[in-house]
Amino acid sequence: MHALMVARNQRFPEIKTQGLWGLARSGIRPVVFTSAHAHYSIEKAAIAAGVGLENVVFVPTDDRGCMDAEALRTLVVREIESGGTPFFVNATAGTTVLSAFDPLDEISAVCQEFDIWLHVDGSWGGPLALFGDKSLFNYRIPAGKVNSLTVNPHKLLGIPMQCSFLLVRDGLGVMRDSLGLGATYLYHSAPPDAVDQDDEERHINSQYMQRLGGSWDLGDATMGCGRRPDAIKMWISWRYYGTQYFCDRVSRARQLAIDFAKLIVSRSTTKAGRWKLFTEPQSISVCFWFIPHSQAQRYENAADGEGESLRKEEYAEWWGDVTKALCDRINADGAALVDYATVERFRAASAGRPGEFVGHKVPYFFRIPFNNPNVTLGTQSAVLDAIEDASRAIYG
């Protein structure tokens, strides 16, 4: 929310004093863009910032779940032509379901072309991009091309909740300019430089103070005044464990996802049914189906079109019902807890104006993200065994 509000006030500075009425009076309609697979927090931020859900444009993704940069550009042009003012693009480094990473170089090129603030939601996958072994996961956040980045160390890095960071390329001063009120009864400018500093030290400190907007105090630069020192959790953990621990932790999460996907593929077909990956895991989440033989035979014999779909190695709608039933059974037993999810897949509309896409929901699949470094191959095998056991109990 802070990133969107700062971007909004930087692009439309009159909002700080006139509110949205100032924009309406000028006929300005702010528009936000985000991946169709992005976290719902961007929609809540749009509500809080007064942008409104109707002015949030969802950009289609490719089959891996990554934002389509060409589609983004098409949609930006379409909004401009219809009277909108694009000001904020939310890209994702690690989507919630597929753990997909949007192509930041291509997206940043679009943002630079149209003078749009580029925010990267790295709440889930950011640490993998920052600390991960490049031989296992080669993804970078392009230097200087991202206006803001969020990272939640309480997720992939295992830091105690709550621990979230908003990093702004141009410094805290941008936030202070956008949101600050200069309440001098609470906030004061930084003290003069120490007398024992040499000229170089004074110059460096002066640059820091300029980027900070005159003070290290976050209160006047954010919507909240008092706050708990959540950053201390990250600092203590980093001091105690060291950088290599974080590198090893996120790299192990990536390796676990790779190993689990291979395990699913190696099982392929068993006596109970057939295993099928939805996609190869991009990072740390593995999404897949289990198709019981008895149900596959039932639907093929029903001659309702689903059997033909199955034989063509596509997915069938009833797979989602099976997934939910298996999850419910496993979770009720309590030996393991598993979850399911769905996403949309997109194709360009056969008719209509540029930027028109048709999305369809994929049948529910198992979604297992890897984070806990104590997971072993035995743990992974036990999860797959539990799914097969549940299938036999329900479908025979």
Side-chain angles (χ1 to χ4, degrees), residues 217-240:
D217 198 322
L218 294 174
D220 194 39
T222 59
M223 297 302 293
C225 179
R227 66 186 66 244
R228 290 177 292 186
D230 292 324
I232 198 70
K233 302 171 190 174
M234 180 68 187
W235 183 82
I236 291 175
S237 296
W238 207 333
R239 291 279 293 180
Y240 181 80

Side-chain angles (χ1 to χ4, degrees), residues 310-330:
L310 180 62
R311 285 189 290 273
K312 289 180 179 179
E313 293 296 315
E314 298 171 353
Y315 43 76
E317 293 303 318
W318 58 267
W319 292 5
D321 296 329
V322 169
T323 300
K324 290 190 288 184
L326 293 176
C327 275
D328 290 344
R329 177 73 185 218
I330 294 168

Side-chain angles (χ1 to χ4, degrees), residues 333-395:
D333 288 344
L337 295 176
V338 295
D339 197 11
Y340 58 84
T342 183
V343 293
E344 280 189 299
R345 274 189 164 172
F346 298 88
R347 59 178 174 80
S350 56
R353 57 180 177 167
E356 295 285 351
F357 295 86
V358 177
H360 65 279
K361 287 283 188 182
V362 174
Y364 287 108
F365 44 72
F366 291 98
R367 168 189 170 266
I368 298 184
F370 289 93
N371 184 6
N372 186 345
N374 295 320
V375 169
T376 65
L377 178 61
T379 311
Q380 295 178 334
S381 297
V383 169
L384 299 187
D385 290 342
I387 293 173
E388 290 194 10
D389 290 343
S391 175
R392 280 188 285 267
I394 298 174
Y395 301 111

Side-chain angles (χ1 to χ4, degrees), residues 135-213:
S135 66
L136 294 173
F137 184 76
N138 189 17
Y139 181 89
R140 69 184 186 91
I141 297 174
K145 296 182 179 180
V146 172
N147 295 92
S148 55
L149 166 71
T150 51
V151 180
N152 286 358
H154 65 248
K155 294 180 179 177
L156 195 53
L157 294 182
I159 307 300
M161 290 184 69
Q162 177 88 14
C163 186
S164 302
F165 288 88
L166 171 62
L167 308 178
V168 182
R169 183 191 66 188
D170 298 322
L172 188 62
V174 175
M175 295 188 65
R176 199 180 308 281
D177 176 63
S178 298
L179 303 175
L181 297 174
T184 55
Y185 55 87
L186 284 178
Y187 307 114
H188 312 296
S189 59
D193 295 335
V195 295
D196 59 346
Q197 288 181 338
D198 58 30
D199 290 342
E200 182 178 358
E201 288 177 314
R202 287 193 182 94
H203 177 67
I204 292 173
N205 284 340
S206 176
Q207 288 181 316
Y208 282 145
M209 283 298 108
Q210 185 176 1
R211 287 176 58 82
L212 290 168

